[in-house]
Amino acid sequence: MAQENPKVPGRRMERLFLLLTGILLAVLFVKLFGVLQLKFTDVDKRLKDGTIVNLNSPNTAQNVKALLKKGYYFDDPRDVDYIESVIASRKTTGDLVDNTGELNKRKYYVNADEAFEKGGETFKKRVLTSRTLLGYTGDDSIRFEQELKNPPALGAQTDLNLGEYSIKGIIAHKGEPVPGVLVKLTMILPRDSIFSDEETGAKTSFSENASSYKKLYVLNDQKKKVLQSLTAFARTDEQGRFVFAKLPTGKAFSVLPMQPGFEFGRSQGVDELDKDVSFKFSQAPHSIKLLSTRDFNILKKEGAFIVRYQEEFNMWYWIIAGSFFAGFIIVHLLLSARYPDADQIILPLIMMLTGISFLTLLSLQDPLRDRFLAKDTLVYLGIGMAGICIIQLFNLRRLNPDSGFYRLLVFKWSRSAANGWPWAIVAMGILFSTILFGTGPEGSGVKVNLLGFQPSEIVKYLIVIFLAGFFATNEKFISQYASWSKRWSFFSFALIATIITLLLFLVLGDLGPAMVICFTFIILFSFSRGDFLYMAGFVVLFVLTTWFFDNIWLSAGITFFSLGSVVFFRRRRLSESAIMALVVITAFLTIDKIPGLDKIIPGPVERLVERKAIWQDAWNNEVYGGDQVANGLWAMASGGVSGQGVGQGFAKTIPEAHTDMILPSIGEEFGWAGMAAVFILFLLYLHRSIIIGRQTGMPLLFYLSAGIGVCTFVQFLLIAGGSIGALPLSGVSLPFESYGGSSLVINLLAAGFLLSVSSVRGTAVQMDYITKQQDKNLVPALAAALAGVVLLVVNVSRYTTDNKQWVVKPALVADKSGLRMFSYNPRIAILMNRLQAGTIYDRNGLILATSKPELIEKQKNKLSASGMLHYDLDSAMHKRLDRFYPFEEQTFFGRAIKTPGYLMAAPTVILPSMSMPPNFAGFICLSPIIM
């Protein structure tokens, strides 16, 4: 009898899921395209009229000049001529502008003194205002001319003879010292320490002046001198150094260099002088933006600039959509033809996740004016998909701790390399290089980029590869030895290597990846130790006690006592996993209470403290930018259960909407349902990773696969929890979703590895081993992940089901100066601007206020006869006013304001429809009176 050929498994399930996913995404792409077309209604007409200029078209400078003149954006033609000359000199042929905001970035900054000489009235006013910010204000307003023409002779050291400590510093330009710079020191007193005018008048005051300082004293009730004011000056020597010596102890001081034509960054200082301190300043030419913030916002509001035409955007839109679908079809065909045993869920999962990302990126950006993020992402998607195909060519069944590849070939003959340490060394080397040569956002103190990519994404998976080999080699010893000292001898190296990596991340100031690696290590260690359930139980106990007692130290004490009691009384072996998890969580929640730590690593500690404050209360904190989470919650509340619809939201108003806060952006357009779907997709990704690793029967492949899933899921939990207020913000990206080339490529390669490994099947002996070693961990781990997703969904439900109260709730945060201010949902202002205010008439039908200037033109004669004196309607229109008041300051209103708790009724000299304080319940305008 002829032997039957073995049946080759098909990929019908994957094909079905890809088809359903493709249909859904295709419908959304088509719908979004239609929504975006509505933004192009008047573009062609305005391009012909010259009221829109493409910054990438020929003769950009001349076109901008014509637009500014035609639109009456500037009264002085010299301003327009100067703007034209700057654009013509800075924008070269072939130099493409990728977003309209680039016109006001550093490339187009202008020298302030040059702008003062060549510009018109607007530039002159802006330069004078900018000089006041550099210190030339008040008593020092004359110092600009004085320093130019006749600078006073001052020494590099000024002795104040008021105390024992000093403030010194150095001023340099590109590493070279700058001599002859005037440096001003000012003592800052709290407002409650300054005598009021009334008090000062009743007390004797006297001053002590010299060429280099001015001291003001008052006599208190005990007739003792009290230093009320102190200003001192010094001038840098040939080494660029200055010193203010013998300053009063315990006072606050600010230091500001002043040199005409130059700027030195923000003033620096000390809150309480209790030791000698030193500052460094960098000299740079004094420059200002090409356009003021007000002028640029007016041009932006009117859509005066674009960087691409409608035809170009539409072409690239369908190239992006078509290439996206083509990439997944190609991978599917490759798997069907050559690798039919590969997992059939992974590819549809990443298709849905990346598809949502593309839709969100296309929706967030203005199609003609913003950077084309989706176009950039398409390149990285192509690299990632090619990487997936290449990885399938490798036979990963041969990958084990003894293989040459795992030992990086160079260390093939080193037995210890099976522990994975070469991969840890490579990861640390990349981090060291980033410390030395890396860059980051200006002024942030964080280094996240190296040679154009984000090393944290690579380092994260290099550590996973290291841990996989280490635990695969040592899991028997770690799990079976009863002696803690023997277990320590085996896992200590992995712990120390991980701690060193975390410390390097702290030096970089990049806390997010450090947290991802930390928790990934603890979870993989618990897999090798066999005590994941044990660890998870004590973490839950810690969370519950913290919620019940609202005291971190007490809950930590109770949890650690319970852990010790279980070990002592029940004779259980010590759970290092539980201890490490509890230590990390407790340290994070109490890091601001550790004395002296802020002196050792001030940047990371400050960021952790700020993120903790935002997490504790997203609606009331004292952090500058502390409304970031509130912005995410406003977006989710606006989305509700089903979302605003693709392309219909205002997620662009969220800070970092395309990176850290992309999840709330998805929530606004796709609602609670969309966010819950994303959560489930990541849970499925973790599940498939663990299942794929388990079915290989090989410890190394298991830890690699599970490590990829755990690492991705931990990162998802951190950023998802942070963006919705359930956890402190971590600053990591959302895998497959957030904009970022390095992240997308690396995560696609990791998914490709899972696809390749999924074809490996363990033997009966291997499966028996992996079952005994890991099944006791995997079910609790997946149950814990499911619980995490459920908690996230419940948290999101708070803001999406009962969304009315959250949409209008303000957030009380700090501004740049540290003062408290209310931040409001920007969607309210957007909708209010769309609801154009009506026209107010008096009892005789005369216009008092309107948003339609043509109505004033129609009543021009009647208004003039009624007392309208010299109202210049054309000038008001050129100023881009939202409201027009023909009687101007001649009009006042009696106003009654009814608020909870009090009633105020008084005539107040205001313009009609003047905006009211937010806490006022409403107001009634009484009869207007024309004076």
Side-chain angles (χ1 to χ4, degrees), residues 775-786:
D775 279 9
K776 59 180 176 292
N777 299 311
L778 302 186
V779 174
L782 290 173
L786 176 60

Side-chain angles (χ1 to χ4, degrees), residues 823-860:
S823 176
Y824 297 93
N825 187 347
R827 292 156 190 77
I828 298 175
I830 293 172
L831 294 176
M832 290 297 291
N833 287 333
R834 292 185 177 182
L835 296 173
Q836 191 179 66
T839 300
I840 301 177
Y841 298 88
D842 74 351
R843 67 189 64 188
N844 298 316
L846 293 175
I847 294 174
L848 300 176
T850 185
S851 300
K852 299 179 179 179
E854 62 272 15
L855 296 181
I856 297 179
E857 185 66 31
K858 290 181 180 180
Q859 283 197 0
K860 185 175 182 180

Side-chain angles (χ1 to χ4, degrees), residues 262-397:
F262 297 94
E263 55 186 308
F264 302 87
R266 294 180 178 179
S267 64
Q268 300 185 49
V270 59
D271 293 331
E272 186 176 351
L273 186 65
D274 54 5
K275 63 179 180 180
D276 294 336
V277 295
S278 179
F279 300 115
K280 291 183 179 180
F281 292 92
S282 296
Q283 182 200 57
H286 178 203
S287 59
I288 61 174
K289 293 181 179 180
L290 180 61
L291 298 167
S292 70
T293 301
R294 176 185 177 276
D295 292 333
F296 183 76
N297 286 339
I298 289 175
L299 288 163
K300 184 177 179 180
K301 181 180 179 181
E302 297 182 358
F305 296 138
I306 61 175
V307 294
R308 65 186 67 88
Y309 294 111
Q310 177 182 351
E311 295 77 12
E312 179 187 357
F313 171 80
N314 289 344
M315 177 188 70
W316 273 105
Y317 185 95
W318 292 117
I319 288 176
I320 291 169
S323 300
F324 170 80
F325 289 114
F328 284 94
I329 291 173
I330 291 172
V331 175
H332 169 68
L333 293 176
L334 174 65
L335 295 175
S336 299
R338 299 290 301 274
Y339 310 101
D341 292 331
D343 186 85
Q344 301 190 45
I345 304 298
I346 292 291
L347 193 62
L349 274 179
I350 60 175
M351 182 181 185
M352 179 60 81
L353 288 171
T354 52
I356 293 173
S357 175
F358 271 96
L359 288 166
T360 305
L361 293 178
L362 286 167
S363 174
L364 281 174
Q365 306 301 305
D366 187 301
L368 303 185
R369 297 172 177 87
D370 292 338
R371 183 178 174 185
F372 211 156
L373 299 179
K375 181 180 176 182
D376 298 339
T377 303
L378 180 64
V379 176
Y380 301 114
L381 177 70
I383 296 172
M385 299 303 282
I388 290 177
C389 295
I390 293 172
I391 290 176
Q392 307 311 307
L393 303 177
F394 293 92
N395 184 5
L396 295 181
R397 181 181 293 276

Side-chain angles (χ1 to χ4, degrees), residues 603-618:
V605 171
E606 181 181 359
R607 280 186 287 278
L608 280 174
V609 170
E610 290 178 349
R611 290 171 181 177
K612 178 182 171 183
I614 297 173
W615 167 58
Q616 289 175 330
D617 195 341

Side-chain angles (χ1 to χ4, degrees), residues 133 184 188 253-257 264-269 279 281:
L133 300 177
K184 177 184 177 182
I188 303 172
F253 295 94
S254 69
V255 180
L256 179 66
F264 302 87
R266 294 180 178 179
S267 64
Q268 300 185 49
F279 300 115
F281 292 92

Side-chain angles (χ1 to χ4, degrees), residues 618-619 630-639 644 798-800 802-812 822-829 831-832 917-920:
W619 305 104
N631 272 278
L633 300 180
W634 286 326
M636 292 189 300
S638 301
Q644 297 282 348
R798 291 177 54 205
Y799 303 102
T800 54
D802 184 21
N803 58 347
K804 293 182 180 179
Q805 61 169 319
W806 304 108
V807 167
V808 297
K809 184 173 183 175
L812 182 60
F822 278 104
S823 176
Y824 297 93
N825 187 347
R827 292 156 190 77
I828 298 175
L831 294 176
M832 290 297 291
N919 59 321
F920 288 163

